[in-house]
Amino acid sequence: MKKTVIITVLMLICIAASAQQEQKAFKGYFVNDEYSVYMRLNLYDNMDIPEHELFGPLPGFLAKQHNGFYWLITDAEVKSNKKAELQMINDYGSEDLSATLHLKNDTTLVLEQGRGSAIKIPKNGKWQKLPSKLTFIRR
């Protein structure tokens, strides 16, 4: 009887842990290799942004690999387990936009820019405008 109770409790803990992971779809490291950009997200618990601690804990950021220029996610609202709405600014604070994140599957995330400025990142001393829809893969 004692073994059955222990096994049942352990199974319930495992089920609760796996259900908890499913709810964390908008948390992790996502990469778009075509434009050499990545996103670090934690829309559930804010995090400190490297080299941008002045802004305090935020839901995440979009950055270019090997560069210190960031688009900061200042506000995020998870609408469902497949959709979240974001407010973003560049790290100078000169441009802002609203965007939507769509989770296609466990590994693919699509960032769709809405109203506001277009996302521009530095590339070879010039500004490169990113497309209004970007696909990211979880790593």
Side-chain angles (χ1 to χ4, degrees):
M1 181 67 178
K2 191 176 182 181
K3 286 182 182 180
T4 306
V5 171
I6 291 172
I7 291 172
T8 304
V9 169
L10 289 175
M11 286 177 47
L12 288 173
I13 290 171
C14 290
I15 291 170
S18 67
Q20 188 79 356
Q21 286 228 346
E22 287 178 23
Q23 295 174 357
K24 303 290 182 178
F26 295 107
K27 179 180 180 181
Y29 178 70
F30 300 87
V31 177
N32 178 299
D33 289 325
E34 182 179 357
Y35 292 97
S36 299
V37 294
Y38 66 94
M39 291 180 71
R40 284 210 185 269
L41 298 174
N42 188 346
L43 304 189
Y44 310 100
D45 303 309
N46 291 345
M47 62 183 172
D48 288 325
I49 310 300
E51 300 177 18
H52 293 76
E53 290 83 4
L54 173 70
F55 294 102
L58 296 171
F61 63 92
L62 180 143
K64 180 155 175 68
Q65 295 172 356
H66 312 296
N67 193 299
F69 186 79
Y70 290 4
W71 276 85
L72 307 171
I73 300 170
T74 57
D75 189 36
E77 184 179 350
V78 177
K79 295 291 190 177
S80 70
N81 60 350
K82 299 230 182 232
K83 182 180 176 183
E85 293 182 357
L86 311 175
Q87 298 297 319
M88 300 173 72
I89 62 167
N90 65 3
D91 58 357
Y92 296 124
S94 61
E95 298 185 51
D96 64 345
L97 64 100
S98 59
T100 306
L101 281 175
H102 298 279
L103 190 66
K104 287 179 117 178
N105 55 43
D106 290 343
T107 60
T108 306
L109 191 69
V110 176
L111 174 71
E112 186 174 350
Q113 297 178 38
R115 296 186 344 210
S117 305
I119 295 178
K120 295 179 217 145
I121 57 170
K123 183 177 180 184
N124 300 326
K126 297 181 180 180
W127 291 106
Q128 177 184 17
K129 182 178 174 183
L130 296 180
S132 62
K133 281 188 180 183
L134 277 174
T135 302
F136 292 87
I137 306 297
R138 184 185 302 270
R139 292 248 169 102

